[in-house]
Amino acid sequence: MSIETLARKAVRELTPYQSARRLGGNGDVWLNANEYPTAPQFELTAQTLNRYPECQPAQVIARYAAYAGVSPQQVLVSRGADESIELLIRAFCEPGKDAVLFCPPTYGMYQVSAETFGVECRTVLAKTDWQLDLAAINANLTNVRLIYVCSPNNPTGNLIHPDDLRSLLASVNGQAIVAIDEAYIEFCPQASLVNWLADYPNLVVLRTLSKAFALAGLRCGFTLANQEVINLLLKVIAPYPLATPVADIAAQALSPSGIDAMRQRVSEIITNRTWLQQQLAQCHCVEQVFASESNYLLVRFKPSSQAFAQLWQQGIILRDQHKQPGLQHCLRITIGTRAECQRVIDALNLLPNA
Ligand code: PMP
């Protein structure tokens, strides 16, 4: 008998998340994981590694609460937003009975986490403008306990209309949690739903230090929700989810100067995004550049261009979105430094004009 047969059925059948790092590549221009292109510098100050860390480090919680404009009781910190995606399933979904709903094309971890736990994935395709198909969602809510909505959406870059989100929250109140994934919200802070927490007990907002805070390697994310939800998540989280050095650096990143530095990075990325968008629109191999509120651009290429493979061979690693519904011939390009954006444009302009 092979060990494989001992594994749970859900795990045997699982296709793991194809993270940018797992996909590999041999590059010097990495624009495939929506990371910030350069590394901020920190020094460790906590020297008590003989001791277990706090489960929910008080200074990190207090600083994130102040930054987000909520009370500390409304904040949970975890190993990246990916962990909070999973904690929600563990707290709210009965395997083999309940379902999670999300609207492709969107972030891939909602599906992987649900499948890992043997929880059904109910998918309702986004409309052609990548907004929510509310009628179809409402027709598919049986046993749905948890709905993930990514806004700005990865990989399309658009915001979801707030009126649609209000109507969704109201229609599933008492039945399902609505988790708004705001991983990229720092690039359009006015669009955050965090101020709606007072109105909707079933609203959850997911955040991360991986994008605008330039700390993807730290693995630190936040869940903002009403205290009842936070208390349930605290029941299922690991006893020590954040290593002491992680909490140390997260607290520094959330200091007033850390937040200033983040805002500077955001404005630099938005300047580069505008530049890249204009340049891409003039490339002969590009069919369409979609508007983005985030730190990446979704671009549809002419089918003959083979842009992904061609740039890959030159060490410019982009993210292929071809297999997502409605995204044939689309690549997602993270906004890097101006020099990296220039490399992309130079390489695209050298592609044969088919
Ligand atoms: N949500 C979205 C939409 C993302 O793009 C990502 C990062 N790829 C995450 C969540 C996970 O973020 P973290 O690095 O905090 O786990």
Side-chain angles (χ1 to χ4, degrees):
M1 192 172 74
S2 78
I3 294 294
E4 172 94 10
T5 61
L6 296 178
R8 286 169 44 225
K9 183 167 176 289
V11 174
R12 285 198 308 269
E13 291 170 358
L14 184 71
T15 308
Y17 182 67
Q18 295 293 306
S19 69
R21 285 291 166 277
R22 271 193 186 180
L23 286 167
N26 225 338
D28 59 343
V29 179
W30 290 96
L31 302 178
N32 65 344
N34 296 344
E35 298 150 328
Y36 185 73
T38 57
Q41 299 301 309
F42 291 97
E43 301 218 349
L44 293 180
T45 58
Q47 301 294 346
T48 53
L49 296 180
N50 58 316
R51 300 290 176 195
Y52 283 109
E54 293 171 90
C55 176
Q56 291 288 292
Q59 192 179 35
V60 175
I61 294 284
R63 287 188 174 179
Y64 202 85
Y67 161 67
V70 297
S71 77
Q73 292 73 31
Q74 294 175 303
V75 182
L76 179 101
V77 60
S78 62
R79 178 176 31 79
D82 279 342
E83 187 178 24
S84 45
I85 290 170
E86 188 182 299
L87 292 174
L88 287 166
I89 294 174
R90 280 160 53 186
F92 290 99
C93 299
E94 203 74 71
K97 179 166 168 270
D98 296 334
V100 305
L101 186 150
F102 49 88
C103 301
T106 193
Y107 183 48
M109 276 305 289
Y110 314 135
Q111 174 168 355
V112 173
S113 288
E115 285 180 349
T116 304
F117 286 98
V119 168
E120 181 197 332
C121 293
R122 194 81 51 79
T123 53
V124 174
L125 288 188
K127 297 192 294 186
T128 50
D129 61 357
W130 297 321
Q131 292 298 323
L132 301 180
D133 187 340
L134 285 176
I137 292 174
N138 283 320
N140 279 285
L141 286 174
T142 313
N143 296 333
V144 169
R145 285 280 165 275
L146 179 57
I147 301 172
Y148 293 106
V149 179
C150 190
S151 182
N153 188 38
N154 176 7
T156 54
N158 62 294
L159 286 167
I160 304 302
H161 294 326
D163 289 348
D164 289 352
L165 293 171
R166 276 208 187 274
S167 126
L168 179 67
L169 278 157
S171 69
V172 303
N173 199 3
Q175 180 192 334
I177 298 289
V178 179
I180 309 292
D181 188 338
E182 294 190 350
Y184 300 94
I185 202 67
E186 279 79 14
F187 299 99
C188 50
Q190 73 294 344
S192 176
L193 299 198
V194 77
N195 293 331
W196 295 12
L197 285 174
D199 301 331
Y200 299 103
N202 57 333
L203 171 62
V204 170
V205 174
L206 306 181
R207 297 283 191 85
T208 181
L209 298 188
S210 296
K211 310 298 176 184
F213 283 91
L215 290 170
L218 192 64
R219 310 306 302 125
C220 185
F222 296 87
T223 309
L224 310 177
N226 287 299
Q227 201 174 346
E228 248 185 298
V229 173
I230 298 293
N231 286 344
L232 286 163
L233 299 179
L234 282 169
K235 284 178 135 179
V236 296
I237 200 168
Y240 311 107
L242 254 61
T244 301
V246 172
D248 183 358
I249 291 168
Q252 296 177 46
L254 293 165
S255 68
S257 66
I259 290 170
D260 276 355
M262 177 278 285
R263 294 203 168 111
Q264 292 223 339
R265 284 192 288 269
V266 166
S267 81
E268 172 210 317
I269 291 293
I270 291 177
T271 306
N272 284 349
R273 183 182 74 202
T274 307
W275 183 87
L276 185 63
Q277 199 161 15
Q278 286 163 353
Q279 298 289 314
L280 284 166
Q282 291 166 30
C283 290
H284 60 80
C285 56
V286 167
E287 206 160 277
Q288 192 174 0
V289 188
F290 295 96
S292 170
E293 301 286 342
S294 198
N295 69 337
Y296 48 86
L297 286 170
L298 185 74
V299 184
R300 175 165 278 134
F301 285 84
K302 298 204 172 128
S304 57
S305 70
Q306 309 225 322
F308 180 76
Q310 295 283 338
L311 269 61
W312 172 283
Q313 278 166 18
Q314 297 173 43
I316 302 172
I317 312 295
L318 310 180
R319 190 81 150 134
D320 195 355
Q321 299 292 339
H322 187 70
K323 292 200 177 126
Q324 289 241 41
L327 302 190
Q328 290 75 16
H329 309 298
C330 287
L331 304 181
R332 193 194 65 195
I333 309 178
T334 304
I335 310 301
T337 61
R338 177 58 65 87
E340 289 171 328
C341 294
Q342 183 76 59
R343 284 273 305 271
V344 171
I345 295 299
D346 292 348
L348 291 176
N349 282 333
L350 287 176
L351 293 185
N353 200 346

